[in-house]
Amino acid sequence: MTAPVPPAGEERRRDRDRTRADILDTAAAEFAERGFDGARVDEIAARTRTTKRMIYYYFGGKKQLYMEVLERAYARIRAAEQTVSVGHLDPLTAIRRIAEVTFDHHEANPDFVRLVSTENIHNAEHVAEMTGLVRVNTPAILLLDEILARGREQGIFRDDIDAIDVHMLISGFCFFRVANRHTFRAIFGRDLVDPARREHYRKMLGDLVVDHLTALG
Amino acid sequence: MTAPVPPAGEERRRDRDRTRADILDTAAAEFAERGFDGARVDEIAARTRTTKRMIYYYFGGKKQLYMEVLERAYARIRAAEQTVSVGHLDPLTAIRRIAEVTFDHHEANPDFVRLVSTENIHNAEHVAEMTGLVRVNTPAILLLDEILARGREQGIFRDDIDAIDVHMLISGFCFFRVANRHTFRAIFGRDLVDPARREHYRKMLGDLVVDHLTALG
Amino acid sequence: MTAPVPPAGEERRRDRDRTRADILDTAAAEFAERGFDGARVDEIAARTRTTKRMIYYYFGGKKQLYMEVLERAYARIRAAEQTVSVGHLDPLTAIRRIAEVTFDHHEANPDFVRLVSTENIHNAEHVAEMTGLVRVNTPAILLLDEILARGREQGIFRDDIDAIDVHMLISGFCFFRVANRHTFRAIFGRDLVDPARREHYRKMLGDLVVDHLTALG
Amino acid sequence: MTAPVPPAGEERRRDRDRTRADILDTAAAEFAERGFDGARVDEIAARTRTTKRMIYYYFGGKKQLYMEVLERAYARIRAAEQTVSVGHLDPLTAIRRIAEVTFDHHEANPDFVRLVSTENIHNAEHVAEMTGLVRVNTPAILLLDEILARGREQGIFRDDIDAIDVHMLISGFCFFRVANRHTFRAIFGRDLVDPARREHYRKMLGDLVVDHLTALG
DNA sequence: AATGAATGAGGCTTCATTCAT
DNA sequence: CATGAATGAAGCCTCATTCAT
């Protein structure tokens, strides 16, 4: 009875979503590559399957496009964090695991790092407008909080460092290594992202955090 | 009534230097505030005692002006580092002192931090062209190197971390705290540069470095 | 529970008419508010129960929509004029009555005034295409003509002023008061449409016409 | 001793002024022809000796250009009015003279009329921003005021009509005749600006004002 | 009869830079 | 040594309209 009529609506929606995603991917690359002001809407359009007009049709403008790119980038890093389950690990191992995941994600997503750098040059004015980012990011803190609490209960962690401090320490290390890679290399002659040194820095970060947390304070 | 005959050559040179310095100061603020692409030559000129034409006259263009700004910013931070004399201090105290000086300089010079962020968005292409920067920056590494060597001799420092790693660790911490202040605050609700938390982070950095260097590795 | 079977044809037609009327009302407001070039098809659609696509479906385009709006506006003002019956009045009273009706209609329909202003900026090119407008407007002149004739017969009206001149005089007064209200107020500080001055101007117009028509010429 | 050096500065200024005037003239024509929203910056530029860029250099933007056009148009009509000296004329003749001057100026400057129509479509928002227009326009009222006062003293003018009312009456007549010329012609078949009818309307206006002012009220 | 998605053409504006003296 | 005037190229965005079902 029900003829296999092409599900026009759905197919269109899929097209629409694909086009949007295409634009978002391209825009993410362009914004990461050149920053907000350096990025060109024409260039994004040219690297896309569609036309410049579609950017305005789907996103409204350069700024809104940038904001969706940024929001998606944050969502992804937090999603990656959520995949690690550390509930069953002892505090030391758990904290090391989190450091490693963060390290890996920054390394794998230099564009995310560059977007965040760009956003800070703009004083986080766009992020400030994104209600929802707080919600998306708090799980990361809650997780650390729980691990730190367990560590303190066991008497192995100092107690003058809170979850946000640990997050800053880990993120700062990972972020700087990727974000400042270029000036660092130009000035000190060392490529912080050289694969040959990857394990060294990955371990260094874990040690660093553990050494500090387990020190006497 | 009788005006003193102007000692033409010298006074002109002084004028020239003053104008250049005026432009450089203004440009530093503008580039730090908005990044390279966001900065406007017109805006720099407007905030200056002179005219836009002079920027081209003295510097050649936006890019060259930016490069001089950047070069001066690096020279200043390294000069600050050179003022500390740690030769007479024991390795632990010396390394703590260096961390503090770096911490203080980043805090006091957020514009430097923003310029370096901007430069990294541009893949350090300008810094790469600045041949003198390596020379200006190596003393910082040499100093650390000497301290680390002393510490290792005394058997109190681990030996799998070199001077550049320590520099990265210290700079990364100080840099992130200032550079990512805005997104961090928007997302986690904590102002990393809040004066009330200044001592906490300053001590945290020192502990961090020392805890790690003195751990067993 | 049992929905009444829709009398398809008629109901559809009614739907159609309602949608058309909805669009026309909204478009009238938008064109009056912003002029032809300032009006936005998107905006009209947004203020409507239907979608932009329907505007093209029912009217063909912006220009045709504008023309229907204009035609309807003219039809309405002339219809209002037809409601007054002055055949039984003496010429003086009749002419005063017509002046008042015109005055009232302009005051009550500033949108009509603005549409006509807009149309004149376009050199009445649309009105010129509207073949029916002449027919719809001649009764107004014929009416005046008849009154003037009676007045002249009675020896109370001068004879160097014809019906079209009187119409121009009355319309001009009423039109200017509404159309140029804004510049007049900005420049001379007087709101010509202030309710407190309404009777003054309404009487002034009647006097004006009568004084002139009954003068010796 | 003083060589006839070309007065560079002055010459340049003259060039500048000529270019500005060229743009203003062209813009006045374009804005009058098509209204604010219908006018095209590109079109103005094309009809000019210079380029589109110069419009932004000299005026800042479309809106500012429009405002300067409008301001100049008002200044000109008031300047024309100031050229008539009516102090020595008896009130009746004086008021007739003013009506004629106004009539002539509207006829000679249809662009002024169209600009004012356009401005009213925009609710006089630009005129409202022009401080100074009030000052430029009040002399016209003061002049009328003085004539009306003299007429009343002599017992020949009614006293329920003030200077602003008279100005409205005269302007309204002149303005409508030019502004609504096109719709009027399309609908009633009469060209109000036909030279053959010029004297008729010019006299009609004078009579109208005088008949009304000298009526018993 | 009705509609959501798409779009080519053109709009206004801004930028770093150079010209001409 | 210094400068006011000028500008080509490119930027972001909006418009009325049509496509494809």
Side-chain angles (χ1 to χ4, degrees):
Chain A
M1 270 311 162
T2 56
V5 190
E10 188 169 338
E11 199 163 278
R12 258 195 210 156
R13 180 151 32 79
R14 211 146 47 207
D15 254 30
R16 183 191 160 87
D17 289 352
R18 221 187 306 140
T19 301
R20 272 185 64 99
D22 180 16
I23 293 173
L24 276 173
D25 288 341
T26 309
E30 173 83 1
F31 282 126
E33 204 173 311
R34 307 202 198 285
F36 180 78
D37 294 300
R40 295 289 167 252
V41 175
D42 278 279
E43 179 63 20
I44 294 171
R47 289 158 73 175
T48 286
R49 233 185 301 107
T50 46
T51 68
K52 179 166 55 158
R53 186 62 189 72
M54 284 296 93
I55 291 174
Y56 291 91
Y57 183 64
Y58 281 128
F59 298 94
K62 185 183 184 179
K63 180 178 171 172
Q64 294 97 309
L65 175 58
Y66 168 76
M67 284 177 71
E68 286 216 29
V69 163
L70 199 55
E71 193 152 27
R72 208 179 51 153
Y74 270 108
R76 284 180 179 179
I77 191 177
R78 295 313 162 207
E81 280 170 8
Q82 293 312 103
T83 61
V84 318
S85 58
V86 296
H88 59 292
L89 301 173
D90 69 283
L92 278 181
T93 313
I95 213 90
R96 248 184 217 282
R97 189 80 198 87
I98 285 177
E100 288 163 358
V101 167
T102 306
F103 185 94
D104 293 346
H105 192 275
H106 280 76
E107 170 146 317
N109 295 282
D111 278 4
F112 167 75
V113 170
R114 296 174 67 90
L115 286 170
V116 174
S117 279
T118 289
E119 178 62 5
N120 274 291
I121 288 295
H122 284 261
N123 299 319
E125 62 185 39
H126 309 96
V127 159
E129 282 181 43
M130 295 182 208
T131 62
L133 261 201
V134 172
R135 186 177 37 73
V136 125
N137 281 288
T138 36
I141 299 301
L142 294 178
L143 186 61
L144 277 171
D145 213 31
E146 187 258 337
I147 296 168
L148 288 179
R150 278 199 284 137
R152 281 191 220 107
E153 268 168 38
Q154 298 175 21
I156 57 174
F157 281 175
R158 67 199 295 168
D159 64 357
D160 60 345
I161 300 288
D162 70 10
I164 293 185
D165 291 342
V166 172
H167 180 74
M168 178 202 66
L169 174 55
I170 294 173
S171 291
F173 187 95
C174 300
F175 197 94
F176 183 88
R177 177 170 162 268
V178 174
N180 287 42
R181 169 188 189 181
H182 303 102
T183 50
F184 206 89
R185 179 176 149 82
I187 291 168
F188 300 107
R190 175 169 298 176
D191 181 1
L192 298 175
V193 190
D194 185 339
R197 246 180 295 269
R198 181 175 189 277
E199 272 316 308
H200 170 68
Y201 285 124
R202 200 163 183 264
K203 175 167 177 302
M204 177 175 163
L205 171 61
D207 288 355
L208 190 67
V209 176
V210 165
D211 291 345
H212 184 55
L213 279 174
T214 58
L216 299 180
Chain B
M1 272 315 166
T2 56
V5 184
E10 185 165 341
E11 196 162 281
R12 249 191 219 159
R13 180 148 32 80
R14 210 148 47 209
D15 256 29
R16 179 193 155 88
D17 289 353
R18 222 187 304 141
T19 301
R20 276 184 62 99
D22 180 17
I23 293 173
L24 278 172
D25 287 342
T26 308
E30 174 84 1
F31 282 125
E33 208 173 307
R34 310 201 197 284
F36 180 78
D37 294 299
R40 297 291 169 248
V41 175
D42 276 289
E43 179 65 18
I44 294 170
R47 286 160 71 174
T48 286
R49 243 186 294 104
T50 44
T51 68
K52 182 164 52 157
R53 194 59 193 73
M54 286 300 91
I55 291 173
Y56 287 87
Y57 189 69
Y58 281 126
F59 298 93
K62 184 183 186 181
K63 181 178 171 174
Q64 294 95 312
L65 175 58
Y66 167 77
M67 285 177 70
E68 287 215 28
V69 162
L70 199 56
E71 191 152 28
R72 207 178 55 152
Y74 270 109
R76 283 181 179 178
I77 191 175
R78 294 315 164 205
E81 280 171 8
Q82 292 313 103
T83 63
V84 318
S85 57
V86 297
H88 59 293
L89 300 173
D90 69 283
L92 278 179
T93 313
I95 212 88
R96 247 185 216 280
R97 189 81 196 88
I98 284 178
E100 287 164 358
V101 167
T102 305
F103 185 95
D104 293 346
H105 192 275
H106 281 77
E107 169 145 319
N109 295 283
D111 278 5
F112 168 74
V113 170
R114 295 173 69 91
L115 286 170
V116 174
S117 278
T118 290
E119 178 62 5
N120 274 291
I121 288 296
H122 284 261
N123 299 320
E125 63 185 38
H126 309 96
V127 159
E129 284 182 40
M130 288 152 56
T131 51
L133 264 199
V134 174
R135 185 176 39 74
V136 123
N137 280 288
T138 36
I141 300 301
L142 295 178
L143 185 60
L144 275 172
D145 214 31
E146 188 260 337
I147 296 168
L148 288 179
R150 278 199 285 138
R152 284 192 218 104
E153 270 167 36
Q154 296 175 23
I156 56 174
F157 281 176
R158 66 199 296 167
D159 64 357
D160 60 345
I161 300 289
D162 70 10
I164 292 185
D165 290 343
V166 173
H167 181 73
M168 178 203 66
L169 173 55
I170 294 173
S171 291
F173 187 95
C174 299
F175 196 95
F176 184 88
R177 176 168 161 269
V178 174
N180 286 40
R181 171 188 189 181
H182 302 102
T183 49
F184 206 90
R185 179 175 150 80
I187 291 168
F188 300 108
R190 175 168 298 178
D191 181 0
L192 297 175
V193 189
D194 185 338
R197 251 181 292 267
R198 183 176 187 275
E199 273 316 308
H200 170 68
Y201 285 124
R202 199 163 183 263
K203 175 171 176 300
M204 178 176 163
L205 171 61
D207 289 356
L208 190 67
V209 177
V210 165
D211 291 346
H212 186 54
L213 278 174
T214 59
L216 299 180
Chain C
M1 276 316 166
T2 57
V5 184
E10 184 166 343
E11 196 163 283
R12 249 192 219 158
R13 179 148 35 78
R14 208 146 49 205
D15 256 27
R16 179 194 155 88
D17 288 353
R18 223 187 305 141
T19 300
R20 276 185 61 99
D22 181 17
I23 293 173
L24 277 172
D25 287 341
T26 308
E30 174 83 2
F31 281 126
E33 207 173 307
R34 310 201 197 284
F36 179 78
D37 294 300
R40 298 289 168 250
V41 176
D42 277 287
E43 180 63 19
I44 294 171
R47 287 160 70 174
T48 285
R49 240 185 296 104
T50 43
T51 68
K52 182 164 52 156
R53 194 62 192 73
M54 285 300 92
I55 291 174
Y56 287 88
Y57 190 69
Y58 281 126
F59 297 94
K62 185 184 186 181
K63 181 178 172 174
Q64 294 96 311
L65 174 58
Y66 168 77
M67 285 177 69
E68 286 216 30
V69 162
L70 199 56
E71 192 152 26
R72 206 179 55 153
Y74 270 108
R76 283 180 179 178
I77 191 177
R78 294 314 163 207
E81 280 171 8
Q82 293 313 103
T83 62
V84 319
S85 57
V86 297
H88 61 290
L89 300 174
D90 69 283
L92 276 181
T93 313
I95 213 89
R96 248 184 216 280
R97 190 81 198 87
I98 285 178
E100 287 163 358
V101 167
T102 306
F103 186 94
D104 294 345
H105 192 275
H106 280 78
E107 169 145 319
N109 296 282
D111 278 5
F112 167 74
V113 171
R114 296 174 68 91
L115 286 170
V116 174
S117 277
T118 289
E119 178 61 5
N120 274 292
I121 288 295
H122 285 261
N123 299 319
E125 63 185 39
H126 310 95
V127 160
E129 285 181 40
M130 288 153 57
T131 51
L133 264 200
V134 173
R135 184 179 37 75
V136 122
N137 281 287
T138 35
I141 299 301
L142 295 178
L143 185 62
L144 275 173
D145 213 30
E146 186 258 339
I147 296 168
L148 287 179
R150 278 199 285 139
R152 282 192 218 105
E153 269 167 38
Q154 298 175 21
I156 55 174
F157 282 175
R158 67 199 296 168
D159 64 357
D160 60 346
I161 300 289
D162 69 10
I164 292 185
D165 291 342
V166 173
H167 181 73
M168 178 202 67
L169 174 54
I170 294 172
S171 291
F173 187 94
C174 300
F175 196 95
F176 184 88
R177 176 169 162 269
V178 174
N180 288 41
R181 169 187 191 182
H182 302 102
T183 50
F184 206 90
R185 178 175 151 81
I187 290 167
F188 299 109
R190 175 168 297 176
D191 182 359
L192 297 175
V193 190
D194 184 339
R197 250 181 293 268
R198 182 175 187 276
E199 273 315 309
H200 170 68
Y201 285 124
R202 199 163 183 264
K203 176 171 175 301
M204 179 176 162
L205 171 61
D207 289 356
L208 190 68
V209 177
V210 166
D211 291 345
H212 185 55
L213 278 173
T214 59
L216 300 180
Chain D
M1 270 314 162
T2 57
V5 191
E10 188 168 337
E11 199 163 278
R12 257 195 211 157
R13 180 151 31 80
R14 210 145 50 208
D15 254 31
R16 183 191 159 89
D17 289 352
R18 222 187 306 139
T19 300
R20 273 186 64 99
D22 181 17
I23 293 173
L24 276 172
D25 287 341
T26 308
E30 173 84 2
F31 282 126
E33 205 173 310
R34 309 202 197 283
F36 180 79
D37 294 301
R40 294 290 167 252
V41 174
D42 279 278
E43 179 63 19
I44 294 171
R47 288 158 72 174
T48 288
R49 234 185 301 106
T50 45
T51 68
K52 180 168 52 157
R53 187 62 190 71
M54 285 295 93
I55 292 174
Y56 290 88
Y57 183 66
Y58 282 127
F59 298 94
K62 185 183 186 180
K63 180 178 173 173
Q64 293 97 310
L65 175 58
Y66 168 77
M67 284 177 71
E68 285 216 30
V69 163
L70 199 55
E71 193 152 26
R72 208 178 55 153
Y74 269 108
R76 282 181 179 177
I77 190 177
R78 295 315 163 206
E81 280 171 9
Q82 293 312 102
T83 63
V84 317
S85 58
V86 297
H88 60 292
L89 300 173
D90 70 283
L92 278 180
T93 315
I95 213 88
R96 247 184 218 281
R97 190 80 198 86
I98 285 178
E100 288 162 358
V101 168
T102 305
F103 185 94
D104 293 345
H105 192 275
H106 280 77
E107 169 145 318
N109 295 282
D111 278 5
F112 167 75
V113 170
R114 297 173 67 91
L115 286 170
V116 174
S117 279
T118 290
E119 177 62 5
N120 274 291
I121 288 295
H122 284 261
N123 300 319
E125 62 186 39
H126 308 96
V127 159
E129 283 182 42
M130 297 183 208
T131 62
L133 260 201
V134 173
R135 185 177 37 74
V136 126
N137 281 288
T138 35
I141 300 301
L142 294 178
L143 185 61
L144 277 171
D145 212 31
E146 187 259 339
I147 296 168
L148 288 179
R150 278 199 285 139
R152 284 191 218 105
E153 268 168 37
Q154 297 174 22
I156 57 176
F157 280 176
R158 68 199 296 168
D159 64 357
D160 60 345
I161 300 287
D162 70 10
I164 292 185
D165 290 343
V166 174
H167 180 73
M168 180 203 65
L169 174 54
I170 295 173
S171 291
F173 188 95
C174 300
F175 197 95
F176 184 88
R177 177 169 161 268
V178 174
N180 288 41
R181 169 188 190 182
H182 302 102
T183 49
F184 206 90
R185 179 176 150 82
I187 291 167
F188 301 107
R190 176 168 297 177
D191 181 359
L192 298 175
V193 190
D194 185 338
R197 248 180 296 268
R198 182 175 187 276
E199 272 316 307
H200 170 68
Y201 285 125
R202 200 163 182 262
K203 175 169 176 302
M204 177 176 164
L205 171 61
D207 289 355
L208 190 67
V209 177
V210 165
D211 291 346
H212 185 55
L213 277 174
T214 59
L216 298 182

